[in-house]
Amino acid sequence: GAGVSQSPSNKVTEKGKDVELRCDPISGHTALYWYRQRLGQGLEFLIYFQGNSAPDKSGLPSDRFSAERTGESVSTLTIQRTQQEDSAVYLCASSFSSGANVLTFGAGSRLTVL
Amino acid sequence: GENVEQHPSTLSVQEGDSAVIKCTYSDSASNYFPWYKQELGKRPQLIIDIRSNVGEKKDQRIAVTLNKTAKHFSLHITETQPEDSAVYFCASSGSARQLTFGSGTQLTVLP
């Protein structure tokens, strides 16, 4: 596609529910990142996929968070048993090859946990 | 892993003045240093980047300098305009070749 697509753009959920956020990277981009951005804060690294290598999950804040990527295409970030502190914008980004290249960000998924 | 520190966290300048934002990094193997601009409610977008084989790069009113020995790099914006107001993030590639971002600088250009 022309850009990085994320869905849903907005998600409101109740505490304790599970949510899935989807990212469709630019075709041909082998690297894919998930970041979390709380209101007025910086970009918190969550997870990094590069081709068929094992993902770098070092940024996932707890075992309630997980992510998958199918080959070099769509990725899904899953948050189980959501908590209010999970409320944030979740940004996906992709790039050619490794991270030492331009990242293109999606518009983000705004998650609100009531 | 890589650690990137960014200063200042907030910066206010008068329209027409220059703005400088500085970042330091920890991983000496880092070789790629981009800067992203995030306007309110928008996604971050690349404004300029530099690789370790050069010390300076300029694009109109924006320039980036890199000092590999000291492990720091800076963003310079000259002749600032109100539309430059945004949050700016620096980043470094690190030896893992994944980008680590600084904490961001809120730049406000006062008319």
Side-chain angles (χ1 to χ4, degrees):
Chain A
V4 178
S5 298
Q6 290 189 246
S7 62
S9 55
N10 276 287
K11 176 72 175 179
V12 180
T13 191
E14 294 180 345
K15 178 180 173 182
K17 300 282 189 181
D18 296 353
V19 296
E20 281 192 354
L21 308 177
R22 176 189 168 108
C23 173
D24 198 347
I26 292 173
S27 178
H29 280 193
T30 59
L32 186 148
Y33 296 79
W34 284 97
Y35 291 92
R36 178 168 70 179
Q37 189 172 35
R38 293 193 168 107
L39 186 64
Q41 302 297 310
L43 299 167
E44 180 185 358
F45 167 75
L46 297 178
I47 189 167
Y48 165 62
F49 296 91
Q50 172 52 47
N52 295 317
S53 301
D56 179 349
K57 303 179 181 181
S58 61
L60 295 177
S62 77
D63 59 7
R64 297 187 296 105
F65 288 72
S66 63
E68 294 183 348
R69 187 181 186 192
T70 307
E72 295 182 353
S73 61
V74 172
S75 175
T76 302
L77 176 68
T78 302
I79 308 173
Q80 296 179 310
R81 305 181 302 281
T82 52
Q83 304 294 313
Q84 288 183 334
E85 61 262 30
D86 299 335
S87 296
V89 175
Y90 290 82
L91 288 162
C92 175
S94 69
S95 74
F96 282 114
S97 187
S98 74
N101 284 288
V102 176
L103 281 189
T104 301
F105 282 85
S109 292
R110 181 177 298 278
L111 174 65
T112 303
V113 182
L114 302 177
Chain B
E2 173 72 297
N3 182 46
V4 178
E5 294 191 359
Q6 183 171 346
H7 302 280
S9 57
T10 61
L11 177 62
S12 292
V13 298
Q14 291 294 135
E15 183 176 355
D17 288 351
S18 296
V20 180
I21 303 170
K22 299 181 179 181
C23 288
T24 61
Y25 61 98
S26 61
D27 190 337
S28 57
S30 294
N31 64 357
Y32 176 63
F33 308 92
W35 287 87
Y36 285 80
K37 175 183 181 182
Q38 187 176 30
E39 297 177 359
L40 189 62
K42 302 288 183 63
R43 73 192 78 183
Q45 293 196 308
L46 180 78
I47 54 170
I48 195 167
D49 57 9
I50 191 169
R51 296 190 185 270
S52 58
N53 56 343
V54 298
E56 184 174 1
K57 183 176 179 181
K58 189 173 182 180
D59 182 4
Q60 299 183 344
R61 298 186 296 107
I62 294 173
V64 57
T65 58
L66 171 65
N67 183 327
K68 285 216 71 179
T69 303
K71 290 192 280 189
H72 68 70
F73 56 112
S74 301
L75 177 71
H76 304 253
I77 306 174
T78 58
E79 301 171 25
T80 52
Q81 301 169 4
E83 54 264 38
D84 295 330
S85 294
V87 178
Y88 292 81
F89 293 98
C90 64
S92 172
S93 59
S95 56
R97 295 299 178 259
Q98 57 164 300
L99 287 182
T100 299
F101 283 86
S103 55
T105 297
Q106 173 69 62
L107 173 65
T108 302
V109 179
L110 305 169

